[in-house]
């Protein structure tokens, strides 16, 4: 089974998964011809590392094209920070709508060379090459619509998760407070922490619940190098990116958890060997999609995955040991792969 087929199968089970991949396809980058055209009429601007170009809520009427350097766009809340590099553009709604409220903080991660276009500059573009500008506008509108649809899907999913959490709140215990819920959650990634995992496993032992059938242990490859070379802030964002991928594939009744450091787990409620391979394959495929857009500042890192089916008569320690042996074997074989325990099906 290839990673591509795994992604397709995961798409059929979870509509939200395909849209995460779509976000990588519809991204704001100019073609060489468009870049040459914009360069002809835009104003050059040099920006020092760390300088803020605009903040969320600011009024803006210009768009920017990156000539060199890296810009990070922070949309706030728990959304992943986007990193834009040479040839990519941002702030286009300010130009097209005029006096538009910015939806993110834009900051120079490195020294920047930018092209800045206001309304007079854009009018010159239209007058000079209306056909090429019309094509650019069609692509831009498609990207805006795609982003809006993705936001709506995220809000609907969050509403669904909230309703499920409230149902669980009133049916399992009437005394669970908001503070107690926070204790379950990892502050950095928003996934469940070890305490949340323990409470989940206790709930699964109740007569009305079934224990999970599959376990994935996920460990970041060469994560220490990222912290050493780029700092802990970049390392934290890499962990958040991995967590968001896991959050996108966790199924009803399952659990995504940060066990600590750069180690995660995913418990699947109803699964067989093929389903677990589909989920693990999609995680690898999503990570590879982010890695292909290489940047000086890492957005994610390769991961190793130990995959195991669970014996409901055993407990977490046995489950973890079995999956951990598979994870160890994946690491031994160079990482960046999924691995079953070597004694499962008589092969690795």
């Amino acid at each position: 089974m290839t990673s591509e087929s795994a992604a397709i199968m995961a798409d059929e089970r979870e509509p939200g998964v395909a849209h995460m991949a779509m976000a990588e396809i519809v991204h704001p980058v100019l073609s060489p011809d468009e870049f040459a055209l914009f360069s002809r009429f835009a104003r050059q601007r040099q920006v020092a590392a760390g300088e803020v170009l605009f903040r969320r809520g600011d009024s803006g009427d210009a768009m920017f094209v990156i000539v060199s350097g890296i810009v990070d766009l922070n949309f706030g809340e728990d959304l992943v920070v986007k990193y834009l590099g040479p040839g990519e553009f941002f702030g286009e709604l300010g130009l097209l709508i005029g006096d538009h409220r910015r939806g993110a903080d834009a900051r120079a991660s490195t020294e920047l060379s930018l092209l800045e276009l206001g309304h007079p500059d854009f009018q010159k573009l239209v007058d000079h090459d209306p056909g090429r500008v019309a094509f650019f506008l069609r692509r831009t509108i498609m990207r805006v619509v795609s982003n809006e649809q993705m936001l709506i899907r995220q809000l609907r999913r969050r509403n669904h998760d909230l309703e499920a959490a409230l149902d669980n709140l009133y049916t399992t215990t009437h005394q669970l407070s908001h503070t107690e819920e926070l204790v379950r959650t990892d502050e950095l990634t928003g996934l469940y922490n070890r305490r949340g995992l323990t409470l989940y496993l206790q709930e699964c032992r109740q007569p009305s619940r079934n224990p999970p059938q599959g376990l994935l242990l996920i460990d970041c490859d060469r994560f220490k190098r990222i912290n050493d070379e780029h700092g802990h802030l970049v390392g934290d964002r890499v962990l958040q990116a991995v967590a968001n991928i896991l959050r996108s594939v966790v199924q009803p009744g399952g659990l995504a958890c940060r066990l600590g450091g750069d180690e995660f787990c995913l418990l699947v409620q109803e699964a067989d060997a093929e389903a677990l391979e589909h989920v693990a394959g999609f995680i690898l495929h999503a990570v590879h999609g982010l890695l292909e857009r290489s940047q000086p500042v890492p957005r994610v890192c390769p991961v190793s995955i130990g995959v195991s089916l669970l014996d409901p008569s055993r407990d977490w320690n046995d489950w973890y040991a079995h999956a951990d042996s598979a994870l160890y074997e994946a690491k031994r074989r160079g990482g960046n792969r999924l691995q079953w325990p070597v004694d499962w099906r008589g092969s690795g």
Side-chain angles (χ1 to χ4, degrees):
M1 182 194 67
T2 65
S3 294
E4 181 178 0
S5 64
I8 294 173
M9 295 297 293
D11 178 18
E12 293 173 351
R13 296 193 313 277
E14 178 69 44
V17 167
H19 301 305
M20 188 177 73
M22 183 64 183
E24 292 299 316
I25 297 172
V26 185
H27 62 280
V29 60
L30 295 180
S31 68
D33 289 344
E34 288 171 336
F35 186 86
L37 178 64
F38 279 52
S39 300
R40 180 172 178 180
F41 295 99
R43 291 162 286 167
Q44 293 278 348
R45 179 173 172 181
Q46 303 300 315
V47 182
E51 182 177 335
V52 175
L53 295 166
F54 53 75
R55 295 194 180 277
R56 194 159 35 127
D58 288 351
S59 178
D61 59 2
M63 70 168 282
F64 304 89
V65 181
I66 302 173
V67 179
S68 63
I70 303 294
V71 169
D72 66 57
L73 296 179
N74 189 339
F75 293 87
E77 304 299 334
D78 59 348
L79 301 177
V80 175
V81 175
K82 290 186 177 181
Y83 295 94
L84 304 182
E88 295 185 288
F89 60 90
F90 59 97
E92 66 276 13
L93 290 181
L95 177 66
L96 301 180
I97 298 176
D99 230 10
H100 176 69
R101 297 290 180 181
R102 303 296 192 182
D105 296 342
R107 186 183 66 87
S109 292
T110 64
E111 291 187 0
L112 285 178
S113 178
L114 294 175
L115 302 177
E116 183 175 355
L117 291 97
H119 288 287
D121 309 312
F122 193 72
Q123 185 60 50
K124 293 176 183 177
L125 283 176
V126 174
D127 294 340
H128 181 77
D129 196 338
R132 195 174 302 280
V133 173
F135 181 72
F136 164 77
L137 290 176
R138 285 196 297 271
R139 273 184 28 248
T140 300
I141 292 171
M142 181 177 70
R143 188 176 71 86
V144 171
V145 170
S146 175
N147 288 340
E148 290 296 327
Q149 291 174 342
M150 182 177 299
L151 178 59
I152 291 171
R153 286 190 295 269
Q154 289 173 344
L155 291 174
R156 285 176 176 171
R157 178 162 185 167
R158 289 180 183 180
N159 287 339
H160 173 78
D161 290 344
L162 178 59
E163 291 172 0
L166 288 173
D167 288 341
N168 184 62
L169 176 68
Y170 291 112
T171 56
T172 58
T173 174
H174 296 287
Q175 299 177 349
L176 183 64
S177 68
H178 180 62
T179 302
E180 289 173 326
E181 181 65 20
L182 291 177
V183 172
R184 297 179 181 221
T185 306
D186 175 61
E187 183 177 1
L188 176 65
T189 64
L191 299 183
Y192 275 80
N193 55 21
R194 282 186 175 271
R195 175 172 172 77
L197 172 64
T198 299
L199 294 173
Y200 168 83
L201 294 173
Q202 291 174 355
E203 293 165 2
C204 287
R205 295 297 183 185
Q206 296 176 2
S208 60
R209 294 285 299 271
N210 295 319
Q213 297 180 346
L215 172 63
L216 279 66
L217 286 184
I218 302 100
D219 192 81
C220 297
D221 296 332
R222 298 178 292 279
F223 180 72
K224 184 177 183 299
R225 182 185 303 174
I226 293 177
N227 276 337
D228 292 343
E229 294 181 2
H230 300 280
H232 289 278
L233 180 59
V234 172
D236 287 349
R237 289 174 176 172
V238 167
L239 295 177
Q240 289 170 338
V242 174
N244 281 334
I245 292 173
L246 299 185
R247 186 180 292 110
S248 74
V249 297
V250 67
Q251 299 172 356
L255 180 82
C257 172
R258 183 188 179 198
L259 294 174
D262 59 346
E263 185 178 20
F264 301 82
C265 78
L266 188 70
L267 282 159
V268 183
Q269 186 72 25
E270 298 181 4
D272 55 18
E274 184 179 10
L276 289 180
E277 286 200 353
H278 287 163
V279 174
F282 174 76
I283 293 170
L284 292 173
H285 183 76
V287 167
H288 293 165
L290 292 176
L291 287 172
E292 287 173 0
R293 296 183 61 195
S294 59
Q295 300 286 356
V297 179
R299 302 173 62 192
V300 77
C301 66
V303 298
S304 297
I305 305 176
V307 187
S308 178
L309 289 170
L310 304 181
D311 182 349
S313 66
R314 296 184 178 272
D315 61 17
W316 166 256
N317 290 331
D318 291 323
W319 295 348
Y320 180 87
H322 204 52
D324 190 53
S325 69
L327 179 61
Y328 176 83
E329 183 65 16
K331 290 284 191 180
R332 190 185 69 81
R333 297 187 180 196
N336 191 27
R337 58 182 289 137
L338 66 92
Q339 179 67 45
W340 290 90
V342 292
D343 60 345
W344 191 79
R345 297 189 299 188
S347 67

